């Protein structure tokens, strides 16, 4: 976690901060960059204005907080029609947490008029967890006599060397649901005096639940006493000596400079053009992705970003069955993005970009080096050697990568948007960090206990639990325009017959998915399933509808049962592909407030009316899953596991769009 901003402690301090904010607003007005496009990110001035308006129009207590201050995106049609010099609407979306009232609110602020457009209470869940609340949880837990007694039973009395790690509630009992309280669970670890990696030493069977608004401990579960692992699982180089011999220096340089161009938040590279924003909830989001084809800028995607992620764990014990992290809606993926290091997270030729957020107190905060953009070598683009004429033609491939990495508790997640020269956009997720483990008496694999099937021993007294990561992306397609349709492609072998005497024939069949209910689909390896987003109103030179296709990569099925709590809360994960008619407020596949939220939210709600998808403005939701059965080789820290999918042209171009790619000129290279 970042260093948290502490909540204001008195009304006098709050008034002082408001005054300072107004002064800063005036001082930074000239410093804030001018707005030149509707999708420009919020400026410091705009953040200050949004927060000041909310404070002025509503009497907030001294403990208020702002889990989300972000750009309220303008009407899509106005953005698409925007021309340089047109008037620009600027609005902010603000989520306000009021602990003293045990309530939260949503506000919309007109930034130009400095006026409040709407104010409504949130009633279907809780905003995401805040930085200060993790500290509050630990303070409350350690001061509770029941927690202290549980620790002493386990022979631990140096409480200062314990860590109480915060979790969103996940599965709640009926009393917790009915309470209306803002709750948080605490899982305890014992780090000892020297350990860095405390995740290897869970205090098993101990779980604390706190009421964050009223600052009380509501429950302490003190279960079975299990030995705490005493080994040191630190992974810094000082702890791991002797080190392997270092590899020889490999430098990645661009002495002539980068090929891409940055204009504020607009990127152009080769034939690609797009905008990006860093959102506090969903992280890195792309807008208006287009490809320049023979001098014509052709749209592909209006908006593309991370929608939600759910991580269910397989253990059924009381302190584990509640764990099912919704990393976007419960924890704020964008806010938890971390500084990137050249030569480690990204190559040396990367350009690092900052992101401006509002912190939990509503103060503008520039986070350094959160986004990286860089070009990379990608192997062969295309080649052919003709043995008859002994001639060769070939070209090297290059990719443009836009990347961020979020650290959410024990796991680190990288999101990479990879632009290929041929018009393919690839989405890659990198999973690394530390597995979540359970304390156990076992020091070797015995398979004598039920828990042996729910996880795997990765070290003596350390059992890593089977789990899954299901990541959903929202893809607002505009393939050569807004009216699109969805078609499923599947492959089948033809039966042996007179026309197929050797049984070698197979065909590809296209099935229209013309309503939202028909477009709830799953991967099928036997059918080699993929999906096309077509513009039926425009034909290519061969008479087919122009299209882009979603080509799945590796994936998994969601294993929690249909009626389980995590399946009901994360129904988006129960199917790989969904498509809906575009609605500007339908952004998050698991609903707006998954933290202590209702079941059956998000996608199941939106497809219930079964709207037409034929020639409409469409949004595709793709869910990519990883089933993680732990290995000892992934402890104490796991190497990256990558999952991906591609968005590829199909009949969008007349022919291979990179036939005329030019070779890179190498200075001082001798000519043949």
């Amino acid at each position: 976690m970042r260093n948290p901003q502490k909540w204001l402690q008195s009304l006098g301090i709050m008034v002082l901060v408001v005054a300072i904010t107004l002064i800063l607003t005036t001082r930074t007005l000239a410093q804030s960059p001018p707005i030149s496009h509707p999708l420009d990110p919020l400026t410091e001035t705009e953040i200050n204005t949004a927060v000041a308006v909310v404070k002025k129009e509503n009497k907030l207590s001294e403990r208020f907080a702002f889990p989300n201050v972000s750009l309220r995106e303008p009407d899509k049609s106005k953005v698409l029609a925007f021309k340089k010099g047109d008037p620009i609407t600027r609005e902010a979306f603000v989520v306000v947490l009021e602990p003293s009232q045990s309530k939260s609110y949503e506000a919309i602020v007109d930034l130009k008029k400095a006026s409040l457009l709407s104010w409504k209470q949130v009633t279907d869940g809780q905003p995401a967890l805040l930085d200060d609340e993790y500290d509050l949880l630990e303070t409350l837990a350690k001061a509770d006599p029941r927690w202290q007694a549980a620790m002493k039973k386990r022979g631990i009395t140096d409480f200062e060397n314990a860590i109480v790690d915060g979790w969103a509630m996940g599965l709640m009992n009926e009393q917790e649901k009915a309470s209306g309280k803002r709750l948080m669970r605490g899982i305890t670890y014992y780090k000892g005096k020297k350990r860095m990696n405390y995740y290897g030493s869970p205090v098993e069977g101990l779980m604390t639940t706190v009421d964050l608004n009223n600052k009380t401990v509501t429950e302490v579960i003190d279960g079975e006493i299990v030995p705490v692992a005493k080994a040191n699982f630190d992974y810094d180089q000082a702890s791991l000596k002797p080190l392997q011999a270092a590899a020889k220096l490999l430098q990645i340089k661009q002495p002539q400079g980068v090929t891409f161009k940055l204009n504020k938040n607009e990127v152009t590279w080769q034939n690609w053009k797009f905008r990006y924003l860093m959102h506090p909830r969903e992280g890195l989001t792309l807008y208006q992705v287009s490809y320049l084809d023979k001098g014509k800028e052709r749209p592909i995607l209006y908006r593309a970003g991370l929608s939600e992620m759910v991580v269910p764990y397989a253990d059924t014990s009381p302190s584990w069955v509640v764990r099912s992290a919704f990393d976007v809606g419960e924890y704020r993926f964008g806010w938890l993005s971390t500084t990137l290091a050249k030569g480690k997270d990204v190559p040396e030729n990367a350009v690092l970009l900052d992101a401006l957020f509002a912190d939990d107190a509503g103060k503008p905060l520039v986070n350094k080096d959160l986004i990286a953009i860089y070009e990379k070598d990608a192997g062969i683009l295309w080649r052919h050697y003709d043995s008859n004429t002994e001639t060769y033609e070939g070209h090297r491939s290059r990719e443009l990568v836009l990347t961020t990495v979020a650290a959410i508790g024990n796991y680190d997640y990288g999101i990479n948007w990879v632009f290929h020269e041929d018009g393919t956009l690839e989405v890659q997720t990198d999973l690394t960090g530390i597995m979540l483990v359970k304390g156990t008496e076992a020091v070797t694999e015995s398979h004598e206990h039920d828990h042996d099937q729910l996880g795997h021993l990765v070290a003596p007294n350390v059992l890593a639990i089977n789990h899954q990561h299901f990541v959903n992306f929202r893809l607002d397609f505009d393939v050569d325009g807004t009216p699109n349709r969805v078609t499923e492609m599947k492959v089948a072998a033809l039966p042996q017959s007179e026309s197929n005497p050797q049984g070698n024939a197979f065909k590809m069949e296209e099935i229209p998915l013309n309503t939202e209910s028909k477009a709830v689909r799953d991967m099928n390896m036997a059918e080699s399933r993929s999906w096309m987003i077509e513009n039926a109103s425009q034909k290519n030179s061969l008479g087919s509808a122009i299209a882009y296709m979603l080509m799945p990569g590796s994936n998994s099925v969601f294993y929690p049962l249909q009626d389980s709590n995590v399946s009901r809360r994360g129904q988006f994960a129960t199917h790989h592909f969904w498509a809906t008619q575009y609605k500007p407020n339908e952004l998050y596949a698991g609903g707006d407030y998954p933290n202590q939220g209702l079941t059956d939210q998000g996608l199941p709600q939106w497809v219930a009316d079964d709207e037409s998808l034929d020639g409409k403005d469409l949004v595709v939701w793709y869910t990519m899953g990883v089933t993680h059965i732990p290995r000892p080789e992934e402890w104490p820290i796991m190497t990256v596991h990558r999952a991906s999918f591609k968005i590829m042209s199909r009949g969008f171009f007349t022919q291979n769009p990179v036939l005329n790619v030019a070779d890179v000129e190498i200075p001082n290279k001798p000519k043949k």
Side-chain angles (χ1 to χ4, degrees), residues 108-151:
I108 298 174
V109 176
D110 185 320
L111 295 170
K112 287 191 171 181
K113 296 180 180 178
S115 62
L116 189 66
L117 297 177
S118 73
W119 176 263
K120 68 174 184 178
Q121 184 179 345
V122 175
T123 57
D124 54 354
Q126 290 283 343
L129 296 174
L130 306 178
D131 288 357
D132 276 1
E133 292 177 322
Y134 292 89
D135 289 344
L136 177 61
L137 165 80
E138 185 167 69
T139 298
L140 293 173
K142 288 185 174 182
D144 190 275
R146 294 167 292 180
W147 181 90
Q148 295 179 1
M151 294 290 281

Side-chain angles (χ1 to χ4, degrees), residues 146-202:
R146 294 167 292 180
W147 181 90
Q148 295 179 1
M151 294 290 281
K152 290 175 181 177
K153 281 169 55 177
R154 292 161 173 81
I156 301 172
T157 57
D158 53 332
F159 300 154
E160 70 276 7
N161 291 320
I163 298 289
V164 183
D165 193 27
W167 276 71
M169 288 296 289
L171 175 66
M172 296 190 295
N173 59 39
E174 294 303 318
Q175 183 178 356
E176 289 167 336
K177 291 179 186 177
S179 70
K181 297 176 179 178
R182 182 170 170 82
L183 303 171
M184 189 179 188
R185 300 198 193 279
I187 306 300
T188 300
Y189 297 87
Y190 180 65
K191 68 183 181 70
K193 295 182 179 180
K194 296 182 179 180
R195 294 176 192 154
M196 175 177 67
N197 180 12
Y198 56 83
Y199 285 110
S201 302

Side-chain angles (χ1 to χ4, degrees), residues 365-438:
L365 177 66
V366 176
N367 289 307
K368 304 292 290 183
D369 301 342
L370 287 199
I371 305 166
I373 181 169
Y374 59 92
E375 297 171 271
K376 61 175 287 191
D377 180 88
I380 296 172
L381 179 62
W382 61 262
R383 81 181 300 276
H384 182 63
Y385 178 81
D386 191 309
S387 58
N388 293 316
T389 61
E390 296 186 346
T391 58
Y392 163 84
E393 283 292 337
H395 295 279
R396 197 71 181 166
S397 178
R398 187 176 293 195
E399 296 169 352
L400 181 74
V401 183
L402 201 66
T403 187
T404 58
V405 179
I408 305 178
N410 54 300
Y411 261 108
D412 295 60
Y413 297 100
I415 303 293
N416 308 294
W417 298 91
V418 184
F419 294 83
H420 298 242
E421 291 174 288
D422 66 351
T424 297
L425 176 58
E426 186 174 1
V427 184
Q428 299 173 346
T429 61
D430 293 338
L431 280 63
T432 182
I434 302 172
M435 293 184 293
L436 204 64
V437 300
K438 180 177 184 176

